[in-house]
C-alpha cells in the first residue's frame, strides 16, 4: 500500500512570501480571513491548520520592518474561535517555551482540546535572542545553548499536568451526587533546573489526552528534541535529496527513545504556483517572485547580510563593493536569518561572483538566492511531485503556505487534492474526529 499523504495549511504573515499588496489579498487580522482559510482546508480534508507566532515585531535600522505584514492576533484566541466554525480540522498553534510557564500553557492547550473535541496541537518553539526577551523583562537571561534544556523540561512538566487527571476521573453521577471518582486528582509536583511548582491542575483530561506536539528545529539539538518528544517535525528541506537526508536523520534517532518510524511525521513547508500549462505556471511564478521581492524588499534583505544601511543603492543596479560589517550590533534585530550567515563576507563574495557571471542586479540576485516556490506546474504535475516525494521518503506530507491570504489555498484544494485522492494517497473523508486520528498517532496512556 502506498503511504498516505498528510497536508496542513499555514496561515502566512510575518515573512516576505506573503503578498499582502496583491489585489486578491485580504486582511491578516479580521476573523473572516482565518475562517476562510480554515474552512477551505477542512473542505479539502487537510490534517490541520497552523499558526506561526512571533513575540516581538522585527526591526531594521531601528524601525519596525513593515514591508511584510505587521501584527497578528493572539494564537489561542484565534484557534479557540476557529474551533466553533470547524468540525474536524486540527488546530495547531506556536507557543514559546522560553518566556511562558508550563501551568498556563498546559491549561490553555487542554482547554483548546476540550473546546475542539480533540483537535489541538502545540508547536513547541524556543527563543534565541535577548531582543525578544526584552518584551518579557528577561532579555538575555537564558543562554542560547540552554534553550532546548528548558524546552525539554517545559514539555515534561506540561505532560505531567496533562496526565494528572485520569480519563475516568469525572463521574458526575446525579443520582449519587458523586462528581469525582477520586478527590486527589490533578495533584502535581515538579522540580528541576527551570521549574519548581506544586499544586493541582484544574482542567480534566482532554479528548486527546495531550495535544499533538509539533517541533521545527533544524539544528542537531532541535532534531534530537523532536525525536524524543514530538509527533511531527517541520522541515525546510523540500527537495528529494535534501529531504531524504533530513528524513532519514530524524527517523534513525527514534529507536533510542523506544519509538517507531511512524510515530514522528516529517512535514516540510511548501509553497506552490499552479497553471493550466507548465509554461503558464512558470510565468505566474516569476510574477509572484517579483511581487514578493520588490525593489525596497531586495535592499532590506541585502542589508541583513551586509549589516549596513544600503538605502542609497539602486535595487536594479550592482551589488555593493564594500564588504559586510561583521560587528555584533546588527541592523536587523529579531531576524533568524541573521544567525544563518555565519560568514557574511564569504557569502557576499559568492553573491558578487554569481551576480557578475549572470549579470544580475541586486533585486535579481535576491530573487535567485532566497526561497522560491517548492511546486510549480499544472495540478497534475504538482500532485505527482508531492506524491513522489512522500513515497520516496523525503517527507510524510507538506505544510502548504499560500502566497495570498485568505483565498490562496482554493485552487490547490479544488484541483490538486482530487488528483491525490484519485491516486489513493489522500483521504476522501476523515477517519476519526481527532487530530491524532488524522495523523495516525497513538493516544497517550
Amino acid at each position: 500500500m502506498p503511504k498516505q499523504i498528510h497536508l496542513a495549511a499555514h496561515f502566512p504573515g510575518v515573512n516576505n512570501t506573503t503578498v499582502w499588496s496583491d489585489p486578491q489579498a485580504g486582511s491578516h487580522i479580521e476573523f473572516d480571513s482565518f475562517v476562510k482559510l480554515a474552512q477551505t482546508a477542512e473542505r479539502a480534508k487537510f490534517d490541520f491548520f497552523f499558526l506561526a507566532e512571533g513575540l516581538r515585531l522585527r526591526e531594521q535600522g531601528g524601525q519596525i520592518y513593515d514591508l511584510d505584514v505587521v501584527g497578528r492576533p493572539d494564537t489561542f484566541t484565534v484557534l479557540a474561535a476557529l474551533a466553533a466554525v470547524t468540525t474536524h480540522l486540527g488546530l495547531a498553534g506556536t507557543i514559546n517555551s522560553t518566556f511562558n510557564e508550563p501551568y498556563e500553557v498546559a491549561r490553555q492547550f487542554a482547554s483548546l482540546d476540550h473546546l475542539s473535541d480533540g483537535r489541538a496541537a502545540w508547536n513547541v518553539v524556543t527563543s534565541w535572542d535577548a531582543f525578544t526577551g526584552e518584551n518579557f523583562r528577561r532579555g538575555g537571561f537564558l543562554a542560547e545553548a540552554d534553550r532546548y534544556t528548558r524546552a525539554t523540561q517545559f514539555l515534561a512538566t506540561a505532560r505531567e499536568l496533562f496526565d494528572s487527571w485520569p480519563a475516568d476521573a469525572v463521574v458526575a453521577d446525579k443520582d449519587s451526587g458523586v462528581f469525582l471518582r477520586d478527590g486527589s486528582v490533578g495533584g502535581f509536583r515538579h522540580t528541576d533546573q527551570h521549574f519548581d511548582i506544586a499544586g493541582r491542575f484544574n482542567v480534566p483530561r482532554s479528548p486527546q489526552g495531550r495535544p499533538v506536539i509539533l517541533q521545527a528545529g533544524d539544528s542537531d539539538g532541535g532534531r534530537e528534541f523532536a525525536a524524543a518528544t514530538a509527533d511531527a517535525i517541520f522541515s525546510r528541506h523540500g527537495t528529494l535529496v535534501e529531504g531524504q537526508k533530513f528524513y532519514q536523520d530524524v527517523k534513525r534517532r527514534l529507536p533510542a527513545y523506544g519509538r517507531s518510524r511512524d510515530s514522528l511525521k516529517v512535514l516540510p513547508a511548501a509553497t506552490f504556483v499552479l497553471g493550466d500549462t507548465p509554461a503558464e505556471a512558470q510565468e505566474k511564478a516569476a510574477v509572484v517572485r517579483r511581487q514578493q521581492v520588490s525593489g525596497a524588499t531586495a535592499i532590506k534583505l541585502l542589508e541583513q547580510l551586509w549589516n549596513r544601511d544600503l538605502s542609497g543603492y539602486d535595487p536594479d543596479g550592482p551589488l555593493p563593493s564594500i564588504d559586510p560589517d561583521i560587528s555584533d550590533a546588527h541592523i536587523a534585530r529579531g531576524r533568524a536569518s541573521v544567525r544563518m550567515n555565519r560568514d557574511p563576507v564569504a557569502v557576499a563574495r559568492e553573491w558578487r561572483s554569481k551576480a557578475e557571471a549572470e549579470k544580475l542586479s541586486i533585486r535579481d540576485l535576491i530573487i535567485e538566492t532566497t526561497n522560491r516556490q517548492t511546486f510549480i506546474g499544472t495540478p497534475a504535475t504538482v500532485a505527482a511531485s508531492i506524491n513522489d516525494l512522500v513515497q520516496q521518503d523525503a517527507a510524510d506530507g507538506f505544510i502548504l503556505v499560500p502566497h495570498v491570504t485568505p483565498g490562496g489555498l482554493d485552487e490547490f484544494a479544488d484541483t490538486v487534492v482530487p488528483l491525490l485522492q484519485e491516486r489513493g494517497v489522500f483521504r476522501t473523508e476523515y477517519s476519526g474526529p481527532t487530530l491524532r486520528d488524522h495523523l495516525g498517532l497513538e493516544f497517550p496512556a
Side-chain angles (χ1 to χ4, degrees):
M1 291 292 292
K3 288 170 61 180
Q4 291 297 296
I5 294 170
H6 299 284
L7 294 176
H10 177 207
F11 189 98
V14 288
N15 50 60
N16 70 297
T17 61
T18 306
V19 185
W20 57 266
S21 57
D22 189 284
Q24 297 182 31
S27 172
H28 285 71
I29 295 178
E30 292 175 4
F31 184 55
D32 285 350
S33 292
F34 294 97
V35 172
K36 165 66 176 173
L37 189 66
Q39 291 184 340
T40 300
E42 184 164 75
R43 171 170 62 82
K45 312 303 179 187
F46 275 39
D47 292 61
F48 61 90
F49 171 96
F50 172 66
L51 281 180
E53 185 170 65
L55 294 178
R56 180 161 178 171
L57 296 178
R58 296 172 301 183
E59 295 180 7
Q60 193 149 333
Q63 299 293 315
I64 292 172
Y65 184 90
D66 65 350
L67 295 177
D68 295 345
V69 172
V70 172
R72 170 68 65 76
D74 174 72
T75 294
F76 278 117
T77 307
V78 172
L79 294 181
L82 287 176
V85 295
T86 55
T87 58
H88 286 78
L89 185 70
L91 302 170
T94 301
I95 298 297
N96 193 291
S97 63
T98 305
F99 302 118
N100 288 297
E101 295 298 325
Y103 185 92
E104 181 180 27
V105 170
R107 188 166 180 262
Q108 290 167 319
F109 271 113
S111 298
L112 178 62
D113 206 49
H114 277 293
L115 291 174
S116 64
D117 293 325
R119 297 184 281 137
W122 173 14
N123 179 32
V124 183
V125 298
T126 64
S127 182
W128 62 276
D129 63 329
F131 173 71
T132 299
E134 290 172 358
N135 273 357
F136 299 88
R137 302 181 66 188
R138 294 179 178 175
F141 92 104
L142 184 64
E144 182 178 352
D146 295 334
R147 68 187 194 273
Y148 281 116
T149 300
R150 179 182 168 92
T152 300
Q153 294 172 352
F154 191 111
L155 185 54
T157 308
R159 281 179 165 168
E160 290 178 24
L161 299 174
F162 294 135
D163 293 346
S164 65
W165 282 73
D168 62 352
V170 178
V171 178
D173 187 324
K174 295 180 180 180
D175 293 332
S176 67
V178 175
F179 190 82
L180 291 178
R181 189 177 303 278
D182 180 353
S184 66
V185 295
F188 66 88
R189 178 176 294 278
H190 184 99
T191 302
D192 60 32
Q193 176 186 353
H194 290 281
F195 308 107
D196 184 9
I197 58 175
R200 290 195 185 278
F201 191 53
N202 67 348
V203 183
R205 192 165 183 83
S206 68
Q208 292 189 116
R210 306 170 192 156
V212 169
I213 300 299
L214 313 175
Q215 207 273 330
D218 193 47
S219 66
D220 187 72
R223 297 181 188 197
E224 200 68 27
F225 178 63
T229 63
D231 299 305
I233 182 171
F234 300 159
S235 160
R236 57 185 178 88
H237 305 288
T239 60
L240 179 62
V241 174
E242 290 302 313
Q244 287 176 328
K245 286 170 58 179
F246 181 86
Y247 190 96
Q248 293 303 324
D249 182 61
V250 295
K251 297 280 186 173
R252 70 170 177 80
R253 300 170 189 253
L254 295 169
Y257 301 98
R259 304 182 65 190
S260 68
R261 284 174 63 86
D262 290 339
S263 65
L264 176 67
K265 309 301 180 186
V266 177
L267 304 173
T271 53
F272 59 91
V273 175
L274 300 171
D276 292 335
T277 66
E280 182 189 10
Q282 290 291 346
E283 290 174 6
K284 288 173 66 176
V287 170
V288 171
R289 287 299 291 139
R290 295 193 78 79
Q291 286 180 305
Q292 292 171 326
V293 184
S294 65
T297 297
I299 293 297
K300 290 295 187 183
L301 294 179
L302 195 70
E303 286 181 346
Q304 290 167 25
L305 177 67
W306 253 257
N307 197 26
R308 296 179 184 276
D309 180 356
L310 303 178
S311 57
Y313 284 80
D314 181 358
D316 294 318
L319 271 68
S321 57
I322 189 173
D323 281 338
D325 178 358
I326 58 173
S327 65
D328 291 336
H330 208 281
I331 195 171
R333 304 182 73 193
R335 282 271 187 181
S337 59
V338 170
R339 296 177 298 156
M340 297 174 65
N341 294 314
R342 299 297 185 184
D343 189 346
V345 175
V347 175
R349 288 197 204 101
E350 292 175 9
W351 283 10
R352 283 198 201 98
S353 297
K354 181 178 178 67
E356 291 170 5
E358 300 178 27
K359 295 181 172 52
L360 301 176
S361 67
I362 290 173
R363 187 182 183 190
D364 293 334
L365 179 82
I366 295 298
I367 288 173
E368 284 288 314
T369 55
T370 54
N371 294 333
R372 302 189 199 182
Q373 294 88 354
T374 314
F375 301 112
I376 303 172
T378 66
T381 59
V382 168
S385 296
I386 290 173
N387 187 50
D388 288 345
L389 289 168
V390 172
Q391 303 309 327
Q392 295 185 61
D393 287 345
D396 292 311
F398 291 91
I399 299 176
L400 297 175
V401 188
H403 67 272
V404 171
T405 302
L409 192 63
D410 290 12
E411 187 178 11
F412 188 98
D414 294 335
T415 63
V416 178
V417 168
L419 296 177
L420 294 174
Q421 292 169 333
E422 287 178 11
R423 289 172 175 263
V425 295
F426 190 68
R427 68 176 67 86
T428 56
E429 294 294 341
Y430 289 106
S431 60
T434 73
L435 180 53
R436 289 187 179 275
D437 292 317
H438 309 343
L439 292 171
L441 299 172
E442 293 182 357
F443 283 73

